[in-house]
């Protein structure tokens, strides 16, 4: 009986880990230092709350870079704090967040500052992927 409960608990843990996608990347833009990280909502969701965290090489959280609140498609939120090229960042969502997303990272060179843009997209689009 103990073995059954152990297998059940292990299976449930495995399913929850498989359901969570990791959103992490290393800043690789052309600048040595960036002044801000911006998250952009290009999804169908009307509200998204997330946070950007700084990770070590083993994906452990070293610090929280910022929390972001996005309203509707096209909305963005920005946190301004210096961050270096080569820093590993992760994007976290609340535990009850169940929407599947994709993301891209873009590096922007503006006259007075440099930014890292994390752009969120719906995983499932309305377009057929076949050509």
């Amino acid at each position: 009986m103990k073995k059954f409960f152990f297998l059940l608990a292990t299976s449930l843990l495995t399913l929850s880990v498989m359901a969570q996608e990791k959103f992490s990347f290393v800043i690789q833009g052309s600048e040595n230092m960036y002044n801000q990280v911006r998250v952009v909502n290009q999804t169908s969701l009307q509200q998204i709350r997330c946070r950007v965290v700084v990770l070590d090489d083993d994906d452990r959280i070293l610090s929280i870079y910022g929390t972001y609140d996005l309203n509707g498609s096209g909305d963005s939120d920005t946190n301004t704090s210096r961050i270096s090229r080569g820093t590993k960042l992760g994007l976290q969502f609340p535990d009850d967040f169940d929407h599947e997303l994709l993301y891209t990272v873009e590096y922007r060179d503006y006259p007075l500052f440099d930014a890292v843009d994390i752009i969120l997209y719906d995983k499932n689009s309305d377009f057929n992927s076949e050509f």
Side-chain angles (χ1 to χ4, degrees), residues 13-23 97-100:
L13 178 62
T14 303
L15 288 175
S16 67
V17 170
M18 288 172 37
Q20 296 176 357
E21 291 188 46
K22 291 195 177 198
F23 288 78
F97 187 81
D98 61 358
H99 198 80
E100 294 185 68

Side-chain angles (χ1 to χ4, degrees), residues 5-27:
F5 284 115
F6 176 76
L7 289 174
L8 179 63
T10 304
S11 298
L12 291 175
L13 178 62
T14 303
L15 288 175
S16 67
V17 170
M18 288 172 37
Q20 296 176 357
E21 291 188 46
K22 291 195 177 198
F23 288 78
S24 65
F25 64 94
V26 175
I27 296 175

Side-chain angles (χ1 to χ4, degrees), residues 62-127:
L62 296 174
S63 63
I64 296 171
Y65 181 85
T67 302
Y68 298 79
D69 292 300
L70 306 167
N71 298 308
S73 184
D75 191 30
S76 65
D77 194 4
T78 302
N79 279 296
T80 303
S81 182
R82 290 180 165 248
I83 193 154
S84 301
R85 180 177 60 214
T87 302
K88 188 172 189 179
L89 296 180
L91 190 61
Q92 293 183 314
F93 297 93
D95 289 336
D96 61 350
F97 187 81
D98 61 358
H99 198 80
E100 294 185 68
L101 300 177
L102 298 174
Y103 74 101
T104 59
V105 177
E106 296 179 4
Y107 303 95
R108 305 286 183 182
D109 183 16
Y110 296 107
L112 299 177
F113 64 93
D114 299 304
V116 177
D117 286 357
I118 304 169
I119 305 164
L120 303 176
Y121 300 95
D122 290 314
K123 187 169 186 175
N124 299 319
S125 72
D126 294 336
F127 295 98

